Every structure is written in C-alpha cells, then in structure tokens.
Amino acid sequence: MTSMDIVDEFEENCCIMRYTTAGQLWNIISPREFVDFSCTTDYEDGILSCGVSLDYGEVKPGYVRGFNHPCGWFCFPLKDNPRHSLLIGFIQTDLRGMIPQSAVDTAMASSLTNFYSDLRKTLKA
C-alpha cells in the first residue's frame, strides 16, 4: 500500500477510504486504486474491521480501479501473552484489468508479505 486517505466519514467508526498500491513486476501490473466502505468496532478484547469496495468517484490517472469483495480483519490480544495480538485477515481482491493469473498470484503473495512486515514494524515503533 502506498497511500491511504479517508474520503468521507459517516459515524465514529465508519468511513470511505481510498488507498493505492504501487505497480508490481516491473509495472507489468499497473498501480491499483481501491475505494472501500470500512467499519471498525470493538469486539470482545480486540477489534473487528469489515469492508467492501464501492464504485465511488473518479479513478486517479495512471491507476486501475481494483475491487475488494466483502472482507474483514480481526485483531485481538493473545490470552497467554496480552502484550501480543493475533491478526487474522480475510480478503477477496479482484485486481481487475488484463493480468495473467500467475502474475497476480506472485504479486499478491509479495504484497501481503510486505504488508504484514510493514505492519509489524509500525506496531513495534
């Protein structure tokens, strides 16, 4: 993910977010833009965040509009070590455009690895 902006807010925990990704595999896969409705709430001792893409606004020049089917993230502290949390994500992303499936599989695996690595570094800081 290269950028993330809140486009509109509805309630304390619900908003429309626009985020972008960089091109992948020497820009064989063009940069993508996603616009999602997202809602986050407390769940037991952790949080639950759910979202789905919207057909909202104009696509930024040079980007392809991707689409996230309903997805969700659960984050909650580990009972035996409350200083650590477990993050579980369910995503169903359609990158759209004309991309060979093997390129999608390679790029998604790399992007998810980088996402979790960056998230871990951010949380430690």
Side-chain angles (χ1 to χ4, degrees):
M1 196 177 321
T2 56
S3 71
M4 182 173 64
D5 301 302
I6 294 176
V7 176
D8 201 356
E9 292 185 73
F10 298 102
E11 295 191 18
E12 183 177 342
N13 299 322
C14 295
C15 63
I16 295 176
M17 299 171 55
R18 173 180 283 122
Y19 58 96
T20 60
T21 64
Q24 299 287 317
L25 300 173
W26 305 282
N27 274 344
I28 292 172
I29 299 176
S30 300
R32 294 301 195 260
E33 172 190 60
F34 298 83
V35 177
D36 290 359
F37 173 76
S38 177
C39 206
T40 303
T41 187
D42 293 333
Y43 176 75
E44 294 185 7
D45 292 331
I47 61 169
L48 165 64
S49 183
C50 299
V52 65
S53 282
L54 304 172
D55 184 19
Y56 184 92
E58 297 294 320
V59 179
K60 286 184 177 182
Y63 287 82
V64 173
R65 176 70 57 91
F67 188 86
N68 287 316
H69 296 277
C71 55
W73 298 92
F74 301 91
C75 184
F76 50 90
L78 298 174
K79 291 187 193 280
D80 59 338
N81 190 351
R83 293 186 61 224
H84 290 88
S85 295
L86 178 63
L87 175 64
I88 301 171
F90 298 96
I91 58 171
Q92 302 179 88
T93 300
D94 180 355
L95 294 178
R96 295 190 170 164
M98 297 179 65
I99 307 170
Q101 189 60 46
S102 60
V104 171
D105 294 344
T106 300
M108 288 297 288
S110 172
S111 294
L112 287 172
T113 300
N114 291 338
F115 171 78
Y116 283 112
S117 176
D118 291 347
L119 179 62
R120 184 175 186 194
K121 290 175 192 172
T122 300
L123 293 174
K124 280 187 173 184

